[in-house]
Amino acid sequence: QRLTSGVISPNGDGRFDSTTIALTATGYVRYGWAVQPYVGGIPGRSIRSGGVVGKTVSFTWDGKDGAGTLVRDGAYVLTLWVADASNNRAAITKRIVVDRRPASVALRATPAFISPNGDGQSDSTVLSMTSDEPLSGRATLSNAVGGTVRSWSFTSVRSAAWTWNGRDRDGRTVPDGRYTLRVPGIDRAGNPTVRALDVNVDRTIRSVAWRSA
């Protein structure tokens, strides 16, 4: 028995738009399938089913019901059965999750600006990401003209943090200015998410207080 994916995102973007269930059996003359919503741990009424005479026991589900309408996000049970000439049946069932919702991602820089001059004050910042579901991708820090300054990879995580000390990937201190942290990620269903956050590099004196003698 085989299932290509336990999660699908039928939104037409070419990533996890469908899943295929298949099995190997002998002595059967026909096979069929059924799709049921799975709510509260209980399979509901079938929303799509069928049967054919054939020897290639497989069914590809594209996230649609029997009327060709896309189903709602949620859990479903996919059943594939085989039957012999006397209609004796054997079946396998697999649970499938339909998920078209991109992950909710938040970015933060602490502090929001740095002054990497070696005085021990705001010489670095912690760039962090949090997500409401596991995400994979690559975070990129770029300058005002789009050049990559630093990058970090992450795989199937809900949170990640990177410390930036105001230097590029070659170890050189970057000029003052605005830099952008861009975090594109993909969840387990292939849904893409992109978030961006600005970080400022500023070595100028922010304030001066004079006191009369």
Side-chain angles (χ1 to χ4, degrees):
Q1 52 183 269
R2 177 175 62 90
L3 181 70
T4 56
S5 177
V7 58
I8 62 174
S9 177
N11 53 17
D13 66 357
R15 291 188 295 260
F16 297 98
D17 283 330
S18 64
T19 186
T20 298
I21 185 173
L23 63 82
T24 300
T26 58
Y28 65 89
V29 295
R30 62 193 180 95
Y31 71 93
W33 56 86
V35 180
Q36 301 163 271
Y38 191 68
V39 181
I42 301 174
R45 182 178 180 179
S46 176
I47 59 172
R48 184 172 176 178
S49 61
V52 297
V53 175
K55 293 294 185 181
T56 303
V57 186
S58 68
F59 171 67
T60 297
W61 188 42
D62 56 3
K64 296 179 180 179
D65 61 18
T69 302
L70 286 171
V71 300
R72 295 180 178 180
D73 284 10
Y76 295 81
V77 172
L78 186 56
T79 300
L80 186 64
W81 55 264
V82 293
D84 62 17
S86 299
N87 203 32
N88 297 305
R89 295 191 178 192
I92 59 171
T93 60
K94 296 292 183 180
R95 189 174 143 189
I96 310 296
V97 174
V98 176
D99 177 12
R100 289 184 290 264
R101 184 186 68 84
S104 177
V105 177
L107 303 180
R108 185 176 181 181
T110 309
F113 75 92
I114 61 174
S115 177
N117 54 14
D119 66 356
Q121 301 294 321
S122 302
D123 284 330
S124 64
T125 184
V126 176
L127 308 174
S128 60
M129 174 201 76
T130 56
S131 171
D132 66 346
E133 60 179 300
L135 207 64
S136 299
R138 177 180 290 272
T140 301
L141 188 67
S142 59
N143 56 29
V145 296
T148 299
V149 174
R150 291 289 302 275
S151 64
W152 303 270
S153 296
F154 53 95
T155 303
S156 192
V157 298
R158 291 178 179 266
S159 64
W162 313 279
T163 298
W164 184 47
N165 60 0
R167 297 181 181 271
D168 63 18
R169 51 191 172 187
D170 295 321
R172 298 169 300 196
T173 302
V174 301
D176 285 6
R178 186 179 66 184
Y179 294 80
T180 301
L181 175 68
R182 186 175 183 272
V183 182
I186 294 177
D187 65 15
R188 63 174 181 165
N191 299 305
T193 300
V194 179
R195 291 291 183 272
L197 177 71
D198 287 340
V199 181
N200 291 313
V201 174
D202 184 2
R203 298 178 186 82
T204 60
I205 298 176
R206 288 183 169 268
S207 63
V208 176
W210 294 95
R211 185 179 63 181
S212 59

